[in-house]
Amino acid sequence: MIPVQELVYDFKLNLNKVDRQDNVLMAVENIVNFLNQAQFSWVKTKIGENNLYRDGYEATRKRIDDLQVLKVNNYALNLTKHDDVLFLGYRGSLKTVSDYMMFVMCRTTASKQDCKATLTVDLIRQNDLSNLYFDANFGPSYEWRSTLATIGEDNIILYTDGSFELDKVFLTYLRNPKQIDIEGYIKLDGKDSVNQDCELPYYAKQDIVSLACKFAAQSTDNQSQTAYAEDRFTKNSE
């Protein structure tokens, strides 16, 4: 957790290093906007491989720890029958998961006659579905307690070979971080702003401040501050 007051203070302090008074006097709502851009950018560098070590999410122990606060385990989604006549299955709507950002894994409950079991789920590419679905070794199997899934159109689709039914899917995913905010201004929806600290680990503070300074400097065409902020972020990103 990073106190929002510290983020705002450090943001102003870093911009003041180039003695630009118009940056120091930036409206607080604009500062909050740049901080939110920065926290999402920081999260994306830990999910993908666009970072110094080219390590994506769960590639190393540090990557797991970076985003563990955003991980949601076993969110239950109801399933309805999928209308595809070739690939039999069930779908769950990701739109009902309001803070969903990225799939991590899932499992599903299945029933066959009087038996019930939990199946592991392998998320595959859509292009691989036609090959794997009909493969005796990789296709949906109640006996082997495994099945396949694809994601598209804000739905997760889990497949069955027709001999068993699926009930629910338990989704583990990364959620969107809460929006950083600070009291003292009126938001676009007419409501008063309230204090909301950054949820990310405290050691990410300098990275987030540097990224926010870079975005602010770019918006004011301040090339020198953009370069300084980029250098600070690169040196503190790991």
Side-chain angles (χ1 to χ4, degrees):
M1 189 74 71
I2 311 172
V4 62
Q5 292 85 357
E6 290 188 22
L7 289 171
V8 172
Y9 176 80
D10 285 2
F11 176 90
K12 293 179 179 179
L13 186 64
N14 277 274
L15 281 178
N16 196 39
K17 287 181 179 179
V18 291
D19 197 24
R20 287 281 296 264
Q21 294 301 314
D22 54 337
N23 285 341
V24 175
L25 299 177
M26 185 175 292
V28 66
E29 56 265 38
N30 293 336
I31 295 175
V32 168
N33 182 55
F34 289 127
L35 288 171
N36 278 305
Q37 289 183 42
Q39 90 166 336
F40 273 102
S41 180
W42 188 87
V43 168
K44 288 191 291 185
T45 65
K46 308 308 174 186
I47 291 176
E49 297 181 357
N50 55 331
N51 53 67
L52 193 62
Y53 290 124
R54 299 293 186 263
D55 288 335
Y57 178 61
E58 292 195 333
T60 63
R61 293 180 182 177
K62 184 177 183 302
R63 286 289 170 263
I64 295 173
D65 197 50
D66 285 337
L67 301 178
Q68 55 84 20
V69 69
L70 303 180
K71 186 180 177 184
V72 178
N73 293 311
N74 299 324
Y75 182 92
L77 276 180
N78 291 321
L79 297 173
T80 57
K81 280 196 174 182
H82 183 44
D83 55 5
D84 194 314
V85 295
L86 182 60
F87 304 109
L88 304 178
Y90 294 75
R91 70 171 65 217
S93 176
L94 296 175
K95 291 181 180 179
T96 61
V97 190
S98 59
D99 57 357
Y100 175 84
M101 180 173 62
M102 191 191 84
F103 176 91
V104 176
M105 63 163 290
C106 69
R107 58 187 177 85
T108 183
T109 52
S111 60
K112 184 173 183 179
Q113 298 176 354
D114 295 330
C115 300
K116 294 185 178 181
T118 299
L119 277 58
T120 60
V121 179
D122 184 15
L123 183 69
I124 63 171
R125 297 180 301 180
Q126 191 71 40
N127 288 342
D128 294 333
L129 180 60
S130 57
N131 291 329
L132 297 179
Y133 181 85
F134 297 105
D135 192 302
N137 295 317
F138 298 102
S141 172
Y142 185 86
E143 287 70 23
W144 288 101
R145 302 293 193 267
S146 66
T147 188
L148 306 172
T150 57
I151 287 181
E153 297 181 330
D154 286 328
N155 288 298
I156 180 168
I157 302 173
L158 292 85
Y159 298 94
T160 172
D161 61 3
S163 68
F164 61 92
E165 298 179 344
L166 301 179
D167 178 29
K168 288 185 177 182
V169 59
F170 296 89
L171 185 68
T172 297
Y173 65 96
L174 293 181
R175 63 175 175 82
N176 291 312
K178 293 179 181 178
Q179 292 281 301
I180 300 170
D181 203 2
I182 191 169
E183 61 184 11
Y185 69 97
I186 305 298
K187 301 170 73 172
L188 292 176
D189 59 6
K191 297 179 180 179
D192 292 333
S193 61
V194 295
N195 287 334
Q196 174 60 59
D197 296 333
C198 177
E199 299 180 276
L200 299 176
Y202 191 81
Y203 60 75
K205 184 178 79 167
Q206 186 55 55
D207 285 351
I208 292 172
V209 170
S210 294
L211 283 169
C213 289
K214 183 177 77 170
F215 296 146
Q218 289 172 340
S219 72
T220 57
D221 198 24
N222 187 338
Q223 296 180 4
S224 59
Q225 179 62 3
T226 301
Y228 298 152
E230 181 68 31
D231 181 65
R232 288 194 300 270
F233 174 71
T234 301
K235 291 180 178 178
N236 289 280
S237 64
E238 296 300 326

